[in-house]
Coordinates of all heavy atoms in Angstrom, one line a residue:
M28 N 25.5 107.8 71.9 CA 26.4 107.8 73.0 C 27.7 107.2 72.5 O 27.7 106.1 71.9 CB 25.7 107.1 74.1 CG 26.5 107.2 75.4 SD 25.5 106.5 76.7 CE 26.6 106.6 78.0
A29 N 28.8 107.8 72.8 CA 30.1 107.3 72.4 C 30.5 106.1 73.3 O 30.1 106.0 74.5 CB 31.2 108.3 72.6
A30 N 31.2 105.1 72.6 CA 31.6 104.0 73.4 C 32.7 104.4 74.4 O 33.6 105.3 74.1 CB 32.2 102.9 72.4
W31 N 32.7 103.7 75.6 CA 33.7 104.1 76.6 C 35.0 103.4 76.2 O 35.1 102.2 75.8 CB 33.2 103.5 77.9 CG 34.2 103.8 79.0 CD1 34.4 104.9 79.7 CD2 35.2 102.8 79.5 NE1 35.4 104.8 80.6 CE2 35.9 103.5 80.5 CE3 35.5 101.5 79.2 CZ2 36.9 102.9 81.2 CZ3 36.5 100.9 79.9 CH2 37.2 101.6 80.9
R32 N 36.1 104.1 76.3 CA 37.4 103.6 76.1 C 38.3 103.9 77.3 O 38.2 105.0 77.8 CB 38.1 104.2 74.9 CG 37.5 103.7 73.6 CD 38.2 104.2 72.4 NE 37.4 105.2 71.8 CZ 37.8 106.1 70.9 NH1 39.1 106.2 70.6 NH2 36.9 106.9 70.3
P33 N 39.1 102.9 77.7 CA 40.0 103.3 78.9 C 41.1 104.3 78.4 O 41.5 104.2 77.3 CB 40.6 101.9 79.2 CG 40.5 101.1 78.0 CD 39.2 101.6 77.3
T34 N 41.5 105.1 79.3 CA 42.6 106.1 79.0 C 43.8 105.4 79.1 O 44.0 104.6 80.1 CB 42.5 107.3 79.8 OG1 42.5 106.9 81.3 CG2 41.2 108.1 79.6
T35 N 44.7 105.6 78.2 CA 46.1 105.0 78.3 C 47.0 106.2 78.5 O 47.0 107.2 77.9 CB 46.4 104.3 77.0 OG1 46.3 105.2 75.9 CG2 45.5 103.1 76.8
H36 N 47.9 105.9 79.5 CA 48.9 106.9 79.8 C 50.3 106.3 79.5 O 50.5 105.1 79.7 CB 48.9 107.3 81.3 CG 47.6 107.9 81.7 ND1 47.3 109.3 81.3 CD2 46.5 107.5 82.3 CE1 46.1 109.5 81.8 NE2 45.6 108.5 82.4
A37 N 51.2 107.2 79.1 CA 52.5 106.7 78.9 C 53.2 106.4 80.2 O 52.8 107.0 81.2 CB 53.4 107.8 78.2
P38 N 53.9 105.3 80.2 CA 54.6 104.9 81.5 C 55.5 106.1 82.0 O 56.1 106.8 81.2 CB 55.4 103.7 81.2 CG 55.5 103.7 79.7 CD 54.4 104.5 79.1
L39 N 55.6 106.2 83.2 CA 56.4 107.2 83.9 C 57.9 107.0 83.8 O 58.3 105.8 83.8 CB 56.0 107.4 85.4 CG 54.6 107.9 85.7 CD1 54.4 108.0 87.2 CD2 54.4 109.3 85.1
M40 N 58.7 108.0 83.6 CA 60.1 107.8 83.5 C 60.7 107.8 84.9 O 60.3 108.3 85.8 CB 60.7 109.0 82.8 CG 60.6 109.1 81.3 SD 61.7 110.5 80.7 CE 60.4 111.7 80.6
S41 N 61.8 107.0 84.9 CA 62.5 106.9 86.1 C 63.4 108.2 86.3 O 63.5 108.9 85.3 CB 63.4 105.7 86.1 OG 64.6 105.8 85.2
A42 N 63.9 108.4 87.4 CA 64.7 109.6 87.6 C 65.9 109.6 86.8 O 66.4 110.6 86.2 CB 65.1 109.7 89.1
D43 N 66.5 108.4 86.6 CA 67.7 108.3 85.8 C 67.4 108.6 84.3 O 68.2 109.3 83.6 CB 68.3 106.8 85.8 CG 68.9 106.4 87.1 OD1 69.3 107.4 87.8 OD2 69.0 105.3 87.4
Q44 N 66.2 108.2 83.8 CA 65.9 108.5 82.4 C 65.7 110.0 82.3 O 66.1 110.6 81.3 CB 64.6 107.7 82.0 CG 64.9 106.2 81.9 CD 63.6 105.5 81.6 OE1 62.6 105.8 82.2 NE2 63.7 104.4 80.8
A45 N 65.0 110.6 83.2 CA 64.7 112.0 83.2 C 66.0 112.8 83.1 O 66.1 113.8 82.4 CB 63.8 112.4 84.3
S46 N 66.9 112.5 84.1 CA 68.2 113.2 84.1 C 69.0 113.0 82.8 O 69.6 113.9 82.4 CB 69.0 112.8 85.4 OG 69.5 111.5 85.2
E47 N 68.9 111.8 82.2 CA 69.6 111.5 81.0 C 69.0 112.4 79.9 O 69.8 112.9 79.0 CB 69.6 110.1 80.6 CG 70.3 109.7 79.3 CD 71.8 109.8 79.4 OE1 72.3 110.1 80.4 OE2 72.4 109.5 78.3
I48 N 67.7 112.5 79.8 CA 67.1 113.3 78.8 C 67.4 114.8 78.9 O 67.8 115.4 78.0 CB 65.6 113.1 78.8 CG1 65.2 111.7 78.3 CG2 64.8 114.2 78.0 CD1 63.8 111.3 78.4
A49 N 67.5 115.3 80.2 CA 67.9 116.7 80.4 C 69.3 116.9 80.0 O 69.7 117.9 79.4 CB 67.7 116.9 81.9
R50 N 70.3 115.9 80.3 CA 71.7 116.0 79.9 C 71.8 116.1 78.4 O 72.5 116.9 77.9 CB 72.5 114.9 80.5 CG 73.9 115.0 80.3 CD 74.7 113.8 80.7 NE 74.4 112.6 79.8 CZ 74.9 112.5 78.5 NH1 75.7 113.3 78.1 NH2 74.5 111.4 77.9
L51 N 71.1 115.2 77.7 CA 71.1 115.1 76.3 C 70.6 116.4 75.6 O 71.1 116.9 74.6 CB 70.4 114.0 75.8 CG 71.0 112.6 76.1 CD1 70.1 111.4 75.7 CD2 72.4 112.5 75.4
R52 N 69.5 117.0 76.2 CA 69.0 118.2 75.6 C 70.0 119.3 75.8 O 70.2 120.1 74.9 CB 67.7 118.6 76.4 CG 66.5 117.8 75.9 CD 65.2 118.2 76.6 NE 64.1 117.4 76.0 CZ 63.0 117.1 76.7 NH1 62.9 117.6 77.9 NH2 62.1 116.4 76.1
Q53 N 70.7 119.4 77.0 CA 71.7 120.4 77.2 C 72.9 120.2 76.2 O 73.4 121.2 75.6 CB 72.2 120.3 78.6 CG 73.2 121.5 79.0 CD 73.6 121.3 80.4 OE1 73.3 120.4 81.1 NE2 74.2 122.3 80.9
E54 N 73.2 119.0 76.0 CA 74.3 118.7 75.0 C 74.0 119.0 73.6 O 74.7 119.6 72.9 CB 74.7 117.2 75.1 CG 75.9 116.8 74.2 CD 76.2 115.3 74.3 OE1 75.9 114.7 75.4 OE2 76.8 114.8 73.4
N55 N 72.7 118.8 73.3 CA 72.2 119.1 71.9 C 72.3 120.6 71.7 O 72.7 121.1 70.6 CB 70.7 118.7 71.7 CG 70.7 117.2 71.2 OD1 71.6 116.8 70.6 ND2 69.5 116.8 71.2
E56 N 71.9 121.4 72.7 CA 71.9 122.8 72.6 C 73.3 123.3 72.4 O 73.7 124.2 71.6 CB 71.3 123.5 73.9 CG 71.2 125.0 73.7 CD 70.5 125.5 72.6 OE1 69.4 124.9 72.1 OE2 70.8 126.6 72.0
Q57 N 74.3 122.7 73.2 CA 75.7 123.1 73.0 C 76.2 122.8 71.7 O 76.9 123.6 71.0 CB 76.5 122.4 74.1 CG 78.0 122.8 74.0 CD 78.9 122.3 75.2 OE1 78.3 121.7 76.2 NE2 80.1 122.5 75.1
L58 N 75.9 121.6 71.2 CA 76.3 121.2 69.8 C 75.8 122.1 68.7 O 76.4 122.4 67.7 CB 76.0 119.7 69.6 CG 76.8 118.7 70.4 CD1 76.1 117.3 70.2 CD2 78.2 118.7 70.1
R59 N 74.5 122.5 68.9 CA 73.9 123.5 68.0 C 74.6 124.8 67.9 O 75.0 125.4 66.8 CB 72.4 123.7 68.3 CG 71.5 122.6 67.9 CD 70.0 123.0 68.1 NE 69.2 121.9 67.9 CZ 68.6 121.2 69.0 NH1 68.7 121.6 70.1 NH2 67.9 120.1 68.6
M60 N 75.0 125.3 69.1 CA 75.7 126.5 69.1 C 77.2 126.3 68.6 O 77.6 127.2 67.8 CB 75.8 127.0 70.6 CG 76.4 128.4 70.7 SD 75.6 129.7 69.8 CE 74.1 129.8 70.6
E61 N 77.8 125.3 68.8 CA 79.1 125.0 68.3 C 79.0 125.0 66.8 O 79.9 125.5 66.1 CB 79.7 123.8 68.8 CG 80.2 123.9 70.3 CD 80.6 122.6 70.9 OE1 80.6 121.5 70.2 OE2 80.9 122.6 72.1
R62 N 78.0 124.3 66.2 CA 77.8 124.2 64.8 C 77.6 125.6 64.2 O 78.2 126.0 63.1 CB 76.7 123.3 64.4 CG 76.5 123.1 63.0 CD 75.3 122.3 62.6 NE 74.1 122.9 63.1 CZ 73.0 122.3 63.1 NH1 72.9 121.0 62.9 NH2 71.9 123.0 63.5
Y63 N 76.8 126.4 64.9 CA 76.5 127.8 64.4 C 77.8 128.6 64.4 O 78.1 129.3 63.4 CB 75.5 128.5 65.3 CG 75.2 129.9 65.1 CD1 74.4 130.3 64.0 CD2 75.9 130.9 65.9 CE1 74.2 131.6 63.8 CE2 75.6 132.2 65.6 CZ 74.9 132.6 64.6 OH 74.7 133.9 64.2
L64 N 78.5 128.5 65.4 CA 79.9 129.3 65.5 C 80.8 128.8 64.4 O 81.5 129.6 63.8 CB 80.5 129.1 66.9 CG 79.8 129.9 68.1 CD1 80.4 129.5 69.4 CD2 79.8 131.4 67.8
S65 N 80.9 127.5 64.2 CA 81.7 126.9 63.2 C 81.3 127.5 61.8 O 82.2 127.9 61.0 CB 81.7 125.4 63.2 OG 82.4 124.9 62.1
R66 N 80.0 127.5 61.5 CA 79.6 128.0 60.2 C 79.9 129.4 60.1 O 80.4 129.9 59.0 CB 78.0 127.8 60.0 CG 77.7 126.3 59.9 CD 76.1 126.3 59.7 NE 75.8 124.8 59.5 CZ 74.5 124.5 59.4 NH1 73.5 125.3 59.6 NH2 74.3 123.2 59.1
K67 N 79.6 130.2 61.1 CA 80.0 131.6 61.0 C 81.4 131.9 60.9 O 81.8 132.7 60.1 CB 79.4 132.4 62.2 CG 77.9 132.5 62.3 CD 77.4 133.3 61.1 CE 76.0 133.4 61.2 NZ 75.4 134.1 60.0
S68 N 82.2 131.2 61.6 CA 83.7 131.5 61.5 C 84.2 131.0 60.2 O 85.1 131.6 59.5 CB 84.5 130.7 62.6 OG 84.3 129.3 62.5
T69 N 83.7 130.0 59.6 CA 84.1 129.5 58.2 C 83.7 130.5 57.2 O 84.5 130.9 56.4 CB 83.4 128.2 57.9 OG1 83.8 127.2 58.8 CG2 83.7 127.7 56.5
A70 N 82.5 131.2 57.4 CA 82.0 132.2 56.4 C 83.0 133.4 56.6 O 83.4 134.1 55.5 CB 80.7 132.5 56.7
I71 N 83.4 133.8 57.8 CA 84.2 135.0 58.0 C 85.6 134.7 57.4 O 86.2 135.6 56.7 CB 84.3 135.3 59.5 CG1 83.0 135.8 60.0 CG2 85.4 136.3 59.7 CD1 82.8 135.9 61.5
F72 N 86.2 133.5 57.7 CA 87.5 133.2 57.1 C 87.5 133.1 55.6 O 88.5 133.3 55.0 CB 88.2 132.1 57.9 CG 88.5 132.4 59.2 CD1 88.0 131.8 60.3 CD2 89.6 133.3 59.5 CE1 88.4 132.1 61.6 CE2 90.0 133.6 60.8 CZ 89.4 133.0 61.9
A73 N 86.4 132.7 55.1 CA 86.3 132.5 53.6 C 86.1 133.8 52.9 O 86.2 133.9 51.7 CB 85.1 131.5 53.3
G74 N 85.8 134.8 53.7 CA 85.7 136.2 53.1 C 84.4 136.5 52.4 O 84.3 137.3 51.6
T75 N 83.4 135.8 52.9 CA 82.1 136.1 52.4 C 81.4 137.3 52.9 O 80.4 137.7 52.5 CB 81.1 134.9 52.6 OG1 80.9 134.7 54.0 CG2 81.6 133.6 51.9
G76 N 82.0 137.9 54.0 CA 81.4 139.1 54.6 C 80.3 138.8 55.5 O 79.7 139.7 56.0
T77 N 80.0 137.5 55.9 CA 78.9 137.2 56.7 C 79.4 137.4 58.2 O 80.5 137.1 58.5 CB 78.5 135.8 56.6 OG1 78.1 135.5 55.3 CG2 77.4 135.4 57.6
V78 N 78.6 138.1 59.0 CA 78.9 138.5 60.3 C 77.8 137.8 61.2 O 76.7 137.6 60.7 CB 79.2 139.9 60.6 CG1 80.5 140.3 59.9 CG2 78.0 140.7 60.2
I79 N 78.0 137.8 62.5 CA 77.0 137.4 63.5 C 75.9 138.4 63.6 O 76.2 139.5 63.8 CB 77.6 137.1 64.8 CG1 78.7 136.0 64.7 CG2 76.6 136.7 65.8 CD1 79.5 135.8 66.0
S80 N 74.7 138.0 63.3 CA 73.6 138.9 63.3 C 73.3 139.3 64.9 O 73.7 138.6 65.7 CB 72.4 138.3 62.8 OG 71.9 137.2 63.5
D81 N 72.7 140.4 65.0 CA 72.5 141.0 66.4 C 71.4 140.1 67.1 O 71.6 139.9 68.3 CB 71.9 142.4 66.3 CG 72.9 143.4 65.9 OD1 74.1 143.2 66.1 OD2 72.5 144.5 65.4
G82 N 70.6 139.3 66.4 CA 69.7 138.4 67.1 C 70.4 137.3 67.8 O 69.9 136.7 68.8
Y83 N 71.5 136.8 67.3 CA 72.3 135.8 67.8 C 73.5 136.2 68.7 O 74.0 135.4 69.4 CB 72.8 134.8 66.7 CG 71.7 134.0 66.1 CD1 71.2 134.3 64.9 CD2 71.2 132.9 66.8 CE1 70.2 133.5 64.4 CE2 70.2 132.1 66.3 CZ 69.7 132.4 65.0 OH 68.8 131.7 64.5
R84 N 73.8 137.5 68.7 CA 74.9 137.9 69.4 C 74.9 137.6 70.9 O 75.9 137.1 71.4 CB 75.1 139.5 69.2 CG 76.4 140.0 69.8 CD 76.7 141.4 69.4 NE 76.8 141.5 68.0 CZ 77.9 141.2 67.2 NH1 78.9 140.6 67.8 NH2 77.9 141.4 65.9
G85 N 73.7 137.8 71.6 CA 73.7 137.5 73.0 C 73.9 136.0 73.2 O 74.6 135.6 74.2
L86 N 73.3 135.2 72.4 CA 73.5 133.7 72.5 C 74.9 133.3 72.4 O 75.5 132.5 73.1 CB 72.7 132.9 71.5 CG 71.2 133.0 71.7 CD1 70.5 132.3 70.6 CD2 70.8 132.2 73.0
V87 N 75.6 133.9 71.3 CA 77.0 133.5 71.0 C 77.9 134.0 72.2 O 78.7 133.3 72.7 CB 77.5 134.3 69.8 CG1 78.9 134.0 69.5 CG2 76.7 133.6 68.6
E88 N 77.6 135.2 72.7 CA 78.4 135.7 73.8 C 78.2 134.9 75.1 O 79.2 134.6 75.8 CB 78.1 137.2 74.1 CG 78.6 138.1 73.0 CD 78.1 139.5 73.1 OE1 77.3 139.8 74.0 OE2 78.6 140.4 72.3
S89 N 76.9 134.5 75.4 CA 76.8 133.7 76.6 C 77.4 132.3 76.5 O 78.0 131.8 77.4 CB 75.3 133.6 76.9 OG 74.6 132.8 76.0
F90 N 77.4 131.8 75.2 CA 78.0 130.5 75.0 C 79.5 130.6 75.2 O 80.1 129.8 75.8 CB 77.6 129.9 73.6 CG 78.4 128.7 73.3 CD1 78.0 127.5 73.9 CD2 79.4 128.7 72.4 CE1 78.6 126.3 73.6 CE2 80.0 127.4 72.1 CZ 79.6 126.3 72.7
A91 N 80.1 131.7 74.6 CA 81.5 131.9 74.6 C 81.9 132.1 76.1 O 83.0 131.6 76.5 CB 81.9 133.1 73.8
D92 N 81.1 132.8 76.9 CA 81.5 132.9 78.3 C 81.5 131.6 79.0 O 82.3 131.4 79.9 CB 80.5 133.9 79.0 CG 80.6 135.3 78.6 OD1 81.8 135.6 78.0 OD2 79.7 136.2 78.7
S93 N 80.5 130.8 78.7 CA 80.4 129.5 79.4 C 81.6 128.6 79.0 O 81.9 127.6 79.8 CB 79.1 128.8 79.1 OG 79.1 128.4 77.8
C94 N 82.2 128.8 77.8 CA 83.4 128.1 77.4 C 84.6 128.7 77.6 O 85.7 128.3 77.0 CB 83.2 127.7 75.9 SG 81.7 126.6 75.6
S95 N 84.6 129.9 78.2 CA 85.9 130.7 78.5 C 86.5 131.1 77.1 O 87.6 131.0 76.9 CB 86.9 129.9 79.3 OG 86.3 129.6 80.5
M96 N 85.7 131.5 76.2 CA 86.1 131.9 74.9 C 85.8 133.4 74.8 O 85.0 134.0 75.4 CB 85.4 131.2 73.7 CG 85.7 129.7 73.7 SD 84.6 128.8 72.5 CE 84.8 129.8 71.0
R97 N 86.5 134.0 73.8 CA 86.2 135.5 73.6 C 85.7 135.6 72.1 O 86.1 134.9 71.2 CB 87.5 136.3 73.6 CG 88.1 136.1 75.0 CD 88.6 137.2 75.8 NE 88.8 138.6 75.7 CZ 88.0 139.5 76.2 NH1 86.9 139.1 76.8 NH2 88.3 140.8 76.2
V98 N 84.6 136.4 72.0 CA 84.0 136.6 70.6 C 84.4 137.9 70.1 O 84.6 138.8 70.8 CB 82.5 136.6 70.7 CG1 81.9 136.8 69.4 CG2 82.0 135.2 71.2

């Protein structure tokens, strides 16, 4: 028979902490997209022939729309 151990749970987050985490996740996603766009634009201007792949085109367009940019 296994020894009984009390279960330990992580303390619950406050509403402020949860909203801060949500905000930071959203900011991280925006920064990732900006980094991706920066890398792609650098490659295009450097003349490497790299273009935005179709898999990312929708993400880039939706990000550009949210920032009032044109792709």
Side-chain angles (χ1 to χ4, degrees):
M28 186 169 179
W31 178 83
R32 286 186 251 165
T34 57
T35 57
H36 297 284
L39 297 176
M40 280 190 264
S41 69
D43 288 338
Q44 289 172 325
S46 66
E47 178 70 5
I48 288 173
R50 186 189 67 77
L51 290 171
R52 285 183 177 155
Q53 185 177 12
E54 184 179 338
N55 270 347
E56 185 59 32
Q57 182 173 350
L58 291 171
R59 283 187 190 107
M60 186 57 67
E61 289 173 2
R62 184 181 64 194
Y63 172 79
L64 290 172
S65 176
R66 287 179 178 176
K67 288 298 181 182
S68 62
T69 300
I71 290 168
F72 287 116
T75 61
T77 303
V78 294
I79 298 170
S80 67
D81 289 335
Y83 285 101
R84 187 167 300 282
L86 288 174
V87 171
E88 289 172 354
S89 66
F90 177 75
D92 290 341
S93 71
C94 294
S95 302
M96 296 171 51
R97 302 222 2 101
V98 177

